Amino acid sequence: MIKTKYGPLYLIFFAALTAGAGNGISLVAFPWLVLQRNGSAVEASIVAMAGTLPLLVATLIAGAAVDYLGRRVVSMISDLLSALSVAAVPVIALVFGVDAINVAVLAGLAALGAFFDPAGMTARETMLPEAAQRAGWTLDRSNSAYEAIFNLSYIVGPGIGGLLIATVGGIDTMWVTAGAFVLSIAAIAVLRLEGAGTPNRDELPQVWAGIVEGLKFVWHNRVLRTLAVVDLTATGLYMPMESVLFPKYFTDKDQPAQLGWVLMSLAIGGVIGALGYAVLSKYTARRTVMLVALLVLGVAMTVIAFLPPLPVILVLSAIVGLVYGPIAPIYNYVMQTQAPPHLRGRVVGVMGSLAYAAGPLGLIVAGPLADTAGLHVTFLALSIPMLVLGLAALFLPALRELDRA
């Protein structure tokens, strides 16, 4: 059991790294398994949507589960179920043959994995304030480090995923994914932290009433409500680029390693941006950081839409990650400071579920549009609204509350 001053914080960081790496490998492996069959972006979108649709409901339930069952237990159960869902891919291939790994099977397993993941992420995020307090870290510093490590997992994950696909194939790559989730379970199993154990359920409302309470809290809090809408829109526009358009582009070129490099560039930029925010937060207003991030995202995605050479895509992907890196620490800070401890899990769950709500809509549009009009048009269809979102954010008064004490 880890009871040192920094132990709980480092264990949460390690769990975020390993679980995130597992998801990062899946980010490459699932679309690759689909696209190598017939190169259909529509089928890749189906699998991507299967991995996104459950998030809307699952994240709401995850927040309530964290508040009712306890943060530590929920984190371990979530990672265990996620490990089983990805390990099922090679198990099915061994028992029934490779042909059994079709789009329906992959979509089903992606949906199962997506249903379990939010609970683990929510549980780890809700443990951060107490772990930071024990370590003597500020919330801005701990959130920046957490998001940087989470982004680091998307350097390790896609990089390993691309290399493994090129060497052992997409199916056997899933064994490594399962192993990453097991490491996360081991880290949380030895963690002991105030507020991470079983809560007093007598002081909590029923589960459904608790979810409604979380929804009402977010709706009546102006800054949380505005951030939820902004994140919902940005996620819906950005997600298809990472989960369908880039995999489609590099599958057509038969370059799995290059797909891994692009996703790694996104993550490297995210690590630098998240870590840099710990310093930047001392000198720059949170609203300024948010506005710059949204505007630069739109510009960078618009340039990527013209499908420039790989080095240019890598640089632009790193820029996208760089400006997006500080956004998650800002969101975490607002949730942690606005929500009371007994509501923290549900508020994180509500915010997460709203962020995922637009993802399926973007994927529904992106897949068929990529097959019919081409990648260039599809990229533009996503990047131009992102530019509009950045301009609209300049006039949102609620974002001024990001810097209110």
Side-chain angles (χ1 to χ4, degrees):
M1 298 180 186
I2 304 298
K3 296 184 178 180
T4 63
K5 179 179 180 181
Y6 299 104
L9 192 61
Y10 292 161
L11 285 172
I12 293 171
F13 289 166
F14 180 79
L17 175 65
T18 51
N23 287 322
I25 297 171
S26 298
L27 192 65
V28 177
F30 269 111
W32 194 267
L33 286 171
V34 177
L35 289 165
Q36 72 176 0
R37 295 173 64 90
N38 55 20
S40 171
V42 172
E43 292 189 355
S45 292
I46 290 172
V47 173
M49 282 188 290
T52 305
L53 282 171
L55 295 174
L56 176 58
V57 176
T59 313
L60 277 175
I61 297 174
V66 168
D67 285 340
Y68 280 82
L69 302 178
R71 299 162 186 170
R72 182 170 163 270
V73 169
V74 169
S75 178
M76 291 189 291
I77 292 175
S78 169
D79 287 335
L80 174 61
L81 296 174
S82 293
L84 293 175
S85 69
V86 294
V89 173
V91 169
I92 291 173
L94 285 173
V95 175
F96 300 103
V98 176
D99 290 339
I101 306 300
N102 54 36
V103 173
V105 169
L106 291 171
L109 294 175
L112 286 175
F115 194 81
F116 303 136
D117 284 340
M121 291 187 287
T122 301
R124 288 185 288 272
E125 287 182 15
T126 54
M127 288 190 283
L128 274 177
E130 287 79 11
Q133 184 177 20
R134 180 184 289 192
W137 286 28
T138 65
L139 278 178
D140 276 328
R141 182 184 178 190
S142 59
N143 284 322
S144 296
Y146 177 85
E147 294 300 333
I149 290 168
F150 189 75
N151 280 312
L152 178 62
S153 70
Y154 280 85
I155 298 173
V156 176
I160 293 175
L163 292 174
L164 286 175
I165 290 170
T167 53
V168 302
I171 292 176
D172 287 335
T173 295
M174 291 303 190
W175 288 120
V176 180
T177 311
F181 287 116
V182 171
L183 289 175
S184 178
I185 295 169
I188 299 300
V190 297
L191 181 145
R192 294 296 181 271
L193 182 67
E194 300 83 0
T198 303
N200 183 359
R201 298 187 186 93
D202 294 335
E203 299 178 357
L204 295 171
Q206 296 298 315
V207 174
W208 174 247
I211 294 174
V212 172
E213 185 181 2
L215 285 166
K216 287 181 177 178
F217 185 88
V218 170
W219 178 254
H220 292 295
N221 186 297
R222 189 169 73 155
V223 64
L224 285 176
R225 183 175 68 242
T226 301
L227 287 178
V229 173
V230 170
D231 199 26
L232 182 149
T233 306
T235 300
L237 295 173
Y238 172 78
M239 186 178 294
M241 181 182 77
E242 186 174 298
S243 58
V244 174
L245 301 187
F246 276 144
K248 168 67 175 172
Y249 179 61
F250 290 105
T251 301
D252 290 345
K253 295 164 66 71
D254 194 27
Q255 292 289 346
Q258 289 187 6
L259 173 60
W261 296 345
V262 170
L263 297 178
M264 286 171 64
S265 295
L266 287 164
I268 289 172
V271 169
I272 297 172
L275 284 176
Y277 177 69
V279 177
L280 193 65
S281 63
K282 300 176 182 178
Y283 308 102
T284 308
R286 295 185 184 92
R287 176 176 178 270
T288 301
V289 175
M290 181 73 68
L291 294 177
V292 170
L294 293 173
L295 288 169
V296 173
L297 275 172
V299 173
M301 287 175 62
T302 301
V303 178
I304 290 174
F306 293 93
L307 300 175
L310 179 63
V312 178
I313 293 178
L314 291 174
V315 171
L316 291 170
S317 298
I319 292 173
V320 167
L322 181 68
V323 298
Y324 204 80
I327 292 180
I330 292 174
Y331 273 58
N332 289 347
Y333 174 86
V334 174
M335 290 186 290
Q336 292 159 359
T337 55
Q338 295 283 331
H342 73 280
L343 264 176
R344 193 184 301 156
R346 279 164 285 169
V347 168
V348 172
V350 168
M351 293 291 286
S353 66
L354 292 175
Y356 290 124
L361 295 176
L363 292 167
I364 288 172
V365 173
L369 190 61
D371 279 344
T372 56
L375 289 173
H376 171 60
V377 171
T378 308
F379 268 115
L380 284 175
L382 299 174
S383 61
I384 293 176
M386 184 70 80
L387 279 172
V388 174
L389 174 65
L391 293 172
L394 293 170
F395 305 99
L396 295 176
L399 294 184
R400 300 185 185 279
E401 297 181 23
L402 293 175
D403 301 294
R404 183 175 297 174

